[in-house]
Amino acid sequence: MRQLPEADRDAIRLAQDPDFPRLLEQIIATGGCSHPVHLSGSTTTVDGTTGEILHHYDTRNEPRERLLVRCRNRRASICPACSRLHAGDTYHLVRAGLLGGKDVPASVRHRPRLFVTLTAPSFGPVHRAGANCRPRRDGGTCEHGRPLGCCTVHRPEAPIVGQPLCADCYDYTAHVLWHAHASKLWDRFVIDVRRRLASSIGLIQSRFAQEARLSFARVAEYQKRGAVHVHAVIRLDGPTGPGDEPPAWGTAELLMDAVRASAQRVRVRTPYSSAVGELTLRWGAQIDARPLRTDGDGPDDDAVAAYVAKYVTKGASDTGAGTDYRLVTKGDIESAAVSEHVRTLMRTCWRLGGLPEYAPLRLRAWVHTLGYRGHILTKSRAYSTTYAALRAERAHHQGHADLPDAINERHWRYVGSGHTPGAALIAAGIAEDLAESRRLALTAVQEGEWC
């Protein structure tokens, strides 16, 4: 036994425990969550009319007097089981806004819809993958003596891809401040699209809401250079939302023209700083807006939903930008397992976060995301369903929904998180088994063998 790894010894100890069958049930119920939350407490369900106790649950009868629940972390690098569940919810959320379902009418698939990509501007030349990186006939060097070009053909997975040709020429300050204002830039972009749509048909801007409604779902993605770019599904509805048809003037072409014009026009100014000055921030020059068509001439709706769902589960280790955990001291930046380019962005976040004029941006709290303060996925209210509604529907399907006339008295407290080494080994095996079962079920459906 002493020669076995610690995880194996602990798994054997757990298997010999009389409470192991119930512990195994809890781990299975969490889907093999790798970092479950431990709760202690009770729930009592009482009939609101008669006062009869319909159900009572108390963790005093559980192993170690605690209940394991999912951590619900979206990052696959932290919890593959919960990230897979989050990806599924995201897929259905985005797909419902494209094809209908989840209380969204199927007619939305015939509305003007675009798949839009907005990028960050250039903060300095970086190494690129594919063909010759940055060929220059005249060669030349920058003021710091480094080459202005690179003729090497880099592999996509090469560590140098995304790194600046000259770190001293790269505008790290603008990069960080652009991240801190990216959400505000998106908000102004959406407002300007509405204004341009109104102006293009001779409509007073204040009356646009009475004619049409702009719905969207957007996901933020880090590029190799550590800069965020945005992918968004934008849909034009009638004034009440997805249940209302858009006006006759609402076409995909008109929407696409408004999107392109607004992306080129909107600006956000940073607070003035004696150390930095005032910067004017905008979207990058690379703007892509493609219509989503029902006749197959354009990106596939399911593919778009799957792409968004796949990205929201990516961790920092997958994108090469930032970390999956917060950095609370300057020393944490130096010890983080990141590239020197990302580390410099983190140092810049920390330095700018110490300036009083940038205090509202809370840059030091967002060092781990390189100053980006927005959510990975955001959507307008009327685009489709919500994560909360999807989770409630799943709870109802699993028989965990509240009774309509019942009163629930809940008393819970947090008592810990995570697994012991042996339990972690068991949870990983359960998660792998569930993933394999899903894969086999999908294969059976695709081959027409599912009954």
Side-chain angles (χ1 to χ4, degrees):
M1 285 285 290
R2 294 179 180 177
Q3 296 178 352
L4 293 175
E6 180 184 4
D8 292 345
R9 295 200 305 271
D10 188 52
I12 294 173
R13 179 188 63 80
L14 290 174
Q16 294 173 339
D17 192 305
D19 291 330
F20 176 71
R22 176 54 186 160
L23 175 62
L24 185 61
E25 288 179 0
Q26 288 200 25
I27 296 176
I28 293 174
T30 65
C33 173
S34 58
H35 200 77
V37 176
H38 300 189
L39 299 178
S40 176
S42 63
T43 296
T44 303
T45 303
V46 180
D47 190 305
T49 304
T50 65
E52 178 187 1
I53 296 178
L54 302 177
H55 175 73
H56 178 73
Y57 171 82
D58 198 309
T59 56
R60 284 180 293 183
N61 300 319
E62 297 287 2
R64 298 176 61 194
E65 298 187 359
R66 58 186 60 190
L67 175 69
L68 306 185
V69 297
R70 286 180 176 270
C71 68
R72 290 187 177 179
N73 196 296
R74 68 169 180 83
R75 299 180 185 272
S77 58
I78 295 179
C79 182
C82 290
S83 72
R84 190 177 298 112
L85 191 67
H86 188 83
D89 287 346
T90 303
Y91 173 80
H92 288 290
L93 185 150
V94 176
R95 188 179 186 275
L98 290 169
L99 299 174
K102 311 297 180 184
D103 297 328
V104 179
S107 58
V108 294
R109 68 180 306 170
H110 302 291
R111 308 276 172 83
R113 303 169 306 155
L114 302 180
F115 184 58
V116 178
T117 299
L118 304 176
T119 62
S122 174
F123 305 109
V126 298
H127 291 278
R128 299 179 296 193
N132 288 349
C133 178
R134 288 189 175 272
R136 287 179 64 96
R137 292 182 179 180
D138 55 351
T141 58
C142 68
E143 59 180 302
H144 304 100
R146 297 185 179 90
L148 293 172
C150 175
C151 295
T152 306
V153 178
H154 302 300
R155 303 186 313 277
E157 66 276 9
I160 198 173
V161 174
Q163 307 300 304
L165 271 66
C166 176
D168 295 320
C169 292
Y170 195 86
D171 195 345
Y172 285 98
T173 298
H175 188 146
V176 167
L177 291 177
W178 191 91
H179 270 180
H181 292 82
S183 295
K184 188 174 183 179
L185 193 62
W186 170 263
D187 291 341
R188 292 197 178 178
F189 163 75
V190 173
I191 292 172
D192 198 72
V193 170
R194 295 192 186 102
R195 289 174 176 172
R196 287 190 172 274
L197 285 173
S199 299
S200 64
I201 60 169
L203 188 68
I204 300 174
Q205 295 176 6
S206 60
R207 293 192 58 189
F208 177 80
Q210 301 173 17
E211 294 281 336
R213 186 166 188 163
L214 203 64
S215 300
F216 67 85
R218 73 172 178 95
V219 62
E221 178 180 3
Y222 283 88
Q223 297 172 299
K224 287 287 188 178
R225 58 181 172 140
V228 164
H229 65 211
V230 171
H231 299 293
V233 176
I234 300 179
R235 189 186 71 224
L236 191 64
D237 297 322
T240 63
D244 196 4
E245 290 296 325
W249 53 260
T251 64
E253 290 71 21
L254 188 69
L255 181 59
M256 187 159 52
D257 291 341
V259 163
R260 291 185 180 277
S262 296
Q264 295 171 356
R265 178 181 181 276
V266 292
R267 302 286 188 275
V268 170
R269 288 183 174 84
T270 64
Y272 175 79
S273 168
S274 58
V276 178
E278 183 184 67
L279 303 184
T280 300
L281 308 175
R282 52 164 294 170
W283 295 107
Q286 295 180 339
I287 301 168
D288 185 32
R290 290 175 286 174
L292 294 166
R293 305 184 187 277
T294 57
D295 56 6
D297 185 15
D300 181 75
D301 293 340
D302 284 324
V304 170
Y307 173 81
V308 173
K310 179 181 179 181
Y311 183 74
V312 296
T313 63
K314 288 186 177 180
S317 58
D318 299 314
T319 60
T323 62
D324 292 329
Y325 52 90
R326 290 185 180 273
L327 306 177
V328 296
T329 67
K330 193 173 182 180
D332 293 340
I333 297 175
E334 304 306 321
S335 60
V338 295
S339 67
E340 190 59 29
H341 173 58
V342 172
R343 198 183 315 279
T344 305
L345 285 168
M346 290 178 170
R347 292 170 181 154
T348 305
C349 271
W350 192 269
R351 176 175 60 84
L352 295 176
L355 300 177
E357 52 269 30
Y358 295 139
L361 302 179
R362 302 182 63 240
L363 290 173
R364 290 189 174 180
W366 297 99
V367 165
H368 64 299
T369 58
L370 313 184
Y372 179 70
R373 301 183 299 143
H375 292 286
I376 290 297
L377 178 73
T378 57
K379 72 174 191 68
S380 60
R381 186 182 300 274
Y383 174 77
S384 69
T385 185
T386 64
Y387 282 121
L390 290 171
R391 289 165 183 161
E393 186 178 342
R394 181 164 53 249
H396 184 272
H397 176 74
Q398 295 173 344
H400 302 316
D402 295 335
L403 299 175
D405 298 326
I407 299 174
N408 291 285
E409 297 179 359
R410 300 182 177 95
H411 304 281
W412 294 96
R413 63 187 180 91
Y414 170 82
V415 293
S417 61
H419 281 303
T420 65
L425 189 65
I426 295 170
I430 291 172
E432 290 177 4
D433 289 345
L434 291 174
E436 180 65 12
S437 297
R438 294 188 187 95
R439 188 190 68 80
L440 293 175
L442 179 60
T443 301
V445 170
Q446 292 173 343
E447 294 178 354
E449 299 177 1
W450 185 264
C451 297

